[in-house]
Amino acid sequence: MHARDRIGDRIHLVLACVAMIGIAGPVSFVDFLVMPLVAFFLIRVVNTFPIWIHGFGQPVVLVGLMLAGLMGLSLLWSADPVAGLEHIGELRWLAMIGFVYPVIEHRRVLIACLCIGFVIGNGVQVIDAFDGFGNAWLADRLWHEPGRVSGWWDPAVGGSILVAALGLHLPAAVMGRGRGRVVGFAGSMVTIVALMATGTRGGWIAAVVLVMIALLIAGFQRRRRFGPMMVGGAMLVVVISALVVVKGGALGDRIGIARDEIRMAIDGDVGTSTGARISMGHQAVRAGLAHPVGGLGAGGFRSWMEEETVEVLDDQAHPHSSMLRLWSEHGLPGVLIGVLLASVLLVNAWRCVPSGDRGTYLMGPFFAVLGLILVSGFDSVLINVNTMAMMGVLGALCPAYCPRIGSER
């Protein structure tokens, strides 16, 4: 491929970098910024043959096809096949691995561009926090809810993908050394601030667990000194403590609201945001138990909620949990395929990093995948554009086989 199309290689890399930056963009621009990469891939499909076969033949893509097949079959008994088709359509992001694979040798550059995209998103959050710096039109476009600063992302979705962004920085922060460790510290601190600003409580919980896992893995790396790990952990603790001091009122309000809403849900009032999620989780479990083999069918959860409950809930299209959605709409087969998909992503992300690079940004996609898996307990990441696009990109950055070619600069 390099011999027959050197210019195409460079253009392909540039377009892949643009796609990586755009993945962290607003939902209306994500598809738009990836289209040039897809179009150029089709233009040079002959010159990249047979490399792209190894891209689309990756285990991640094959498991995605299994899930798409199961969801497509379930449309036969779904009460809302239109919504089911929309859910199936989000699986298209798993094909990113085939479009990126011809330039996967530049994995380090692609990861850097993904981080740049998040930095741009954090900058938009700053603009949101200061009410558009006096620009009423801009402030109105970025405003979501009182006390929740998420920039151009929806607060809940923004919280989920920022957990993945934190994962990108963590290995360098807690296991790195030198300049990489400094960059990792800075990236982790900025991301924690951004995540706290979204007010997404599920994202907060997932981030805390992710940091703890990162510290444990750093401790088990025998060849790593404990100094960088301890300093990294201390820095993250300092940042979180500072946030609690500076934004303690806002954070306390969110926690207090959640506590009150849980108490109200226990008393039977599920009309609040947290109460609605508790009710939907309960109904998702009931739906899966009632239909353990085939589930309700893709997109069928909303109809189940309308039939089984009399409360008017906030958003009852899905139970706000990936596993509960798979369980309720696709039964045990859906849960098993979901576990298989998560396992393949994690194994690939771990194995494609040389043991000597575990404390660098090359290890970032592993922790980013782990972060998405953790936050999937509070968000249906498989049917949201931003989170599913992030999963597809992380799968593309973590192929089962990554060629070691010395041409990367």
Side-chain angles (χ1 to χ4, degrees), residues 57-361:
Q58 292 285 328
V60 171
V61 178
L62 301 181
V63 177
L65 290 174
M66 292 172 58
L67 183 57
L70 177 65
M71 294 174 67
L73 180 63
S74 71
L75 292 176
L76 296 176
W77 57 84
S78 171
D80 191 352
V82 174
L85 285 172
E86 293 179 359
H87 294 175
I88 297 173
E90 296 304 330
L91 295 177
R92 70 188 185 278
W93 289 105
L94 295 179
M96 279 293 292
I97 190 169
F99 302 132
V100 173
Y101 197 74
V103 294
I104 194 59
E105 66 189 276
H106 302 284
R107 186 170 180 266
R108 189 186 305 271
V109 176
L110 297 173
I111 293 173
C113 290
L114 185 59
C115 292
I116 290 172
F118 277 113
V119 171
I120 296 173
N122 297 149
V124 178
Q125 284 184 272
V126 173
I127 298 174
D128 186 13
F130 288 94
D131 296 324
F133 292 107
N135 188 311
W137 180 87
L138 184 60
D140 183 63
R141 294 300 181 276
L142 296 178
W143 189 88
H144 293 282
E145 299 176 27
R148 305 189 71 173
V149 180
S150 57
W152 54 29
W153 301 307
D154 174 82
V157 175
S160 296
I161 64 172
L162 283 172
V163 175
L166 177 61
L168 291 174
H169 301 295
L170 275 179
V174 301
M175 294 186 288
R177 55 183 66 175
R179 184 174 60 182
R181 184 172 62 187
V182 174
V183 176
F185 286 160
S188 298
M189 289 187 287
V190 169
T191 305
I192 290 174
V193 172
L195 177 58
M196 290 291 185
T198 64
T200 306
R201 292 163 294 200
W204 297 350
I205 297 172
V208 171
V209 177
L210 181 63
V211 171
M212 294 175 62
I213 293 176
L215 293 175
L216 288 175
I217 292 177
F220 283 109
Q221 294 296 306
R222 296 180 180 178
R223 297 183 181 180
R224 294 287 178 189
R225 294 178 298 176
F226 280 85
M229 180 195 71
M230 298 302 295
V231 174
M235 289 293 292
L236 295 178
V237 171
V238 169
V239 172
I240 295 174
S241 301
L243 278 171
V244 172
V245 173
V246 175
K247 295 287 289 182
L251 298 179
D253 289 344
R254 291 290 294 167
I255 296 173
I257 290 173
R259 183 174 58 249
D260 294 339
E261 291 179 350
I262 291 175
R263 186 182 302 112
M264 294 170 62
I266 294 175
D267 295 335
D269 183 3
V270 295
T272 62
S273 176
T274 304
R277 281 159 174 74
I278 294 174
S279 175
M280 286 183 281
H282 172 68
Q283 291 296 334
V285 172
R286 289 187 63 248
L289 291 174
H291 308 278
V293 177
L296 300 172
F301 184 74
R302 181 191 292 274
S303 298
W304 171 272
M305 287 294 298
E306 293 174 350
E307 293 175 0
E308 297 295 322
T309 63
V310 296
E311 301 90 355
V312 179
L313 303 180
D314 181 30
D315 180 8
Q316 54 190 22
H318 55 85
H320 295 271
S321 169
S322 293
M323 277 301 158
L324 287 179
R325 189 190 70 81
L326 291 173
W327 169 246
S328 63
E329 295 189 351
H330 307 292
L332 184 59
V335 171
L336 294 177
I337 295 178
V339 171
L340 180 60
L341 178 61
S343 301
V344 168
L345 286 169
L346 284 175
V347 170
N348 288 353
W350 181 271
R351 293 182 60 185
C352 70
V353 181
S355 58
D357 291 328
R358 295 280 162 78
T360 70
Y361 271 87

